[in-house]
Amino acid sequence: MQAWSSRPMPSLPQPSAIPPLQAIDTATQQLVPLGPDTGTARMYVCGITPYDATHIGHANTYIAFDLLHRVWHDRGLEVNYVQNVTDIDDPLLERAADNGIDWAELAEQETQLFREDMAALNVLPPQHYVGAVESMPLIVDLIDQLRRRQAVYPVDDSEFEDLYFAQASDSEFGSLAHLSEDEAIAIFAERGGDPDRLGKKAPLDCLVWRHARAGEPRWESMLGAGRPGWHIECTAIALDRLGAGFDVQAGGSDLIFPHHEMCAAQGRVATDQPFAKAYVHSGMVGLNGEKMSKSKGNLVFVSALRASGVDPMAIRLALLAHHYREDWDWTDEMLGSAQLRLNRWREAVRLDAGLNADEVLVQVRAALANDLDAPTALAAVDAWAGASVAIDSDDVEGPALVARACEALLGVTL
Ligand code: 5CA
Ligand code: ZN
């Protein structure tokens, strides 16, 4: 698929010393290094299911990992960033049926809106933007590999034979989310799983291939006519575009279980290697005390804010004011404060001279290296901007350097 384009990332003066880039890995709950010292950093961020894009929660997740993308570039690394589009799945089919439109048309419309929102928010595009539909041969091939390893089995409690991944085939299953079996079963049922389906070997075994039912979209394959389950899609795309043992598997914390646990398990069984080196998750953005989600209908859309004249850079700053792992509730007041901050920064970088900016750059880099701490990075720019407008200074380079640092590292265009 086509991704989108964003403004190029300006280069910054190379630092003399820079702290190692670390973030909290969900699997170990420890700070771990992210990416290699040289060469190519490899990241997979789970993309949208395109039936209701782009809400502020989505934007928060993609902006969080956009920081990581930018930090890697700033360190001179090449980045191979892959993002998928779940352009065939139950929720998309249900929404298309409710709205009386074709599912493929709905997916295309919403994906296009997402691209426009990402471009407006200055999110760097992934190198590979990949849909499930266009990945059908890859997915079928991976399921077949797992089947040959006895990790996939049929369940045919009806006239349809569906294929399931056997969780027991992975000795490390559970090592990401660390849930008790009861907790895992409850969350699995809430998030698209079917723990009670008759004929399965274990409640947490997940669907990998659904035999076509009447009226449903289907793909002919060696597995029979059908369509893939959700988790196998991301496993197949990640292994194909990044290879096993890539640096970071990322997404919102709602994906830790079952989605990323299943992806990691399927990946390990298929390759005998770790799936990803680190698993990094952003917090959930809510509205009025509830997680923002399509099913609850409590969504604030980026496109609606843009249409009402809100500066996308103010949206970006409102999101960056929260640490990426935090769960928080969106309010309109946050947008107001972000707009004021944006105005202060813009005023400061338009001065003929400001304070020396080298220290701001050091502080922003250090904050981002420490578990992508955007709020601390914003505070460093605040301090510079406040002092620059208050103090008569003659560093003519300062404002331009801060503007370049904000663009390159924070994606905020001043
Ligand atoms: N297509 C799958 C991933 S393969 C999916 O979860 N799609 S989604 O459209 O529901 O979510 C897209 C991304 O936004 C995921 O990374 C998800 O974790 C994140 N996300 C969804 N809701 C929120 C929210 N309220 N706050 C923060 N991030 C969210
Ligand atoms: Zn995914």
Side-chain angles (χ1 to χ4, degrees):
M1 278 188 173
Q2 250 333 85
W4 57 91
S5 38
S6 66
R7 291 184 277 284
M9 188 177 140
S11 61
L12 295 170
Q14 276 312 298
S16 47
I18 195 163
L21 169 60
Q22 295 185 310
I24 295 282
D25 167 39
T26 304
T28 58
Q29 291 296 309
Q30 305 284 323
L31 274 177
V32 298
L34 294 188
D37 294 333
T38 56
T40 303
R42 295 172 294 161
M43 167 163 76
Y44 189 97
V45 182
C46 279
I48 55 164
T49 305
Y51 60 96
D52 239 348
T54 311
H55 64 62
I56 282 289
H58 295 139
N60 191 57
T61 288
Y62 298 112
I63 286 175
F65 299 108
D66 187 51
L67 294 178
L68 177 53
H69 194 169
R70 289 171 181 277
V71 171
W72 275 334
H73 275 310
D74 183 48
R75 288 166 183 247
L77 296 171
E78 294 292 315
V79 179
N80 187 0
Y81 169 17
V82 179
Q83 190 182 126
N84 69 304
V85 183
T86 307
D87 55 2
I88 181 71
D89 201 7
D90 294 343
L92 176 69
L93 296 176
E94 283 158 21
R95 176 60 65 90
D98 289 351
N99 292 3
I101 67 168
D102 177 57
W103 61 272
E105 203 177 307
L106 175 63
E108 183 42 44
Q109 279 169 16
E110 295 295 314
T111 305
Q112 185 51 25
L113 187 57
F114 177 74
R115 290 184 185 103
E116 289 163 16
D117 290 333
M118 290 297 106
L121 293 171
N122 205 20
V123 173
L124 297 175
Q127 277 64 41
H128 299 279
Y129 194 47
V130 190
V133 169
E134 65 182 328
S135 305
M136 227 35 92
L138 289 180
I139 296 171
V140 168
D141 192 53
L142 178 63
I143 296 171
D144 188 47
Q145 276 181 49
L146 290 168
R147 190 165 62 167
R148 282 186 272 116
R149 292 179 171 232
Q150 270 84 51
V152 158
Y153 64 92
V155 171
D156 50 2
D157 60 349
S158 64
E159 61 192 292
F160 303 110
E161 186 180 271
D162 296 330
L163 300 179
Y164 279 76
F165 171 72
Q167 160 244 293
S169 58
D170 174 35
S171 62
E172 291 173 50
F173 185 86
S175 58
L176 175 61
H178 304 287
L179 299 171
S180 70
E181 175 145 27
D182 286 351
E183 286 168 329
I185 289 173
I187 299 177
F188 188 55
E190 272 167 32
R191 296 183 180 160
D194 52 0
D196 300 325
R197 178 158 178 189
L198 294 175
K200 290 195 343 178
K201 292 183 183 170
L204 295 175
D205 290 352
C206 67
L207 178 77
V208 290
W209 191 257
R210 176 179 158 91
H211 196 284
R213 271 62 166 174
E216 283 187 2
R218 67 192 60 204
W219 284 264
E220 297 297 336
S221 79
M222 65 171 120
L223 309 171
R227 60 184 168 96
W230 171 28
H231 315 301
I232 197 72
E233 160 197 348
C234 286
T235 317
I237 296 171
L239 289 178
D240 181 69
R241 300 304 204 282
L242 298 171
F246 58 92
D247 294 291
V248 175
Q249 163 78 316
S253 59
D254 57 337
L255 299 187
I256 298 171
F257 196 87
H259 187 50
H260 288 172
E261 189 82 61
M262 297 295 178
C263 290
Q266 292 166 348
R268 281 190 291 264
V269 174
T271 66
D272 291 323
Q273 292 178 66
F275 184 60
K277 294 195 175 89
Y279 298 85
V280 184
H281 292 99
S282 52
M284 287 292 111
V285 181
L287 190 70
N288 305 324
E290 288 202 275
K291 178 192 151 184
M292 218 179 258
S293 73
K294 294 155 210 184
S295 44
K296 296 209 179 76
N298 58 344
L299 304 176
V300 176
F301 290 104
V302 172
S303 52
L305 292 175
R306 292 201 290 125
S308 70
V310 174
D311 186 331
M313 292 300 103
I315 303 175
R316 193 165 169 120
L317 272 182
L319 300 176
L320 291 177
H322 302 267
H323 190 275
Y324 79 96
R325 282 190 291 107
E326 191 188 327
D327 294 328
W328 53 279
D329 269 11
W330 171 264
T331 63
D332 289 343
E333 290 73 49
M334 286 172 186
L335 196 52
S337 320
Q339 184 64 57
L340 289 177
R341 177 178 249 159
L342 186 62
N343 296 347
R344 284 198 303 274
W345 290 12
R346 284 185 171 154
E347 188 190 348
V349 300
R350 277 172 185 64
L351 296 173
D352 290 338
L355 287 188
N356 184 302
D358 295 346
E359 189 54 27
V360 181
L361 184 53
V362 169
Q363 288 170 354
V364 169
R365 278 179 166 144
L368 295 179
N370 177 25
D371 199 17
L372 303 172
D373 184 354
T376 299
L378 300 197
V381 181
D382 284 341
W384 176 88
S388 282
V389 283
I391 298 168
D392 191 19
S393 161
D394 57 1
D395 186 345
V396 290
E397 304 293 333
L401 180 57
V402 170
R404 283 219 315 284
C406 287
E407 174 74 37
L409 295 169
L410 300 172
V412 176
T413 309
L414 295 179

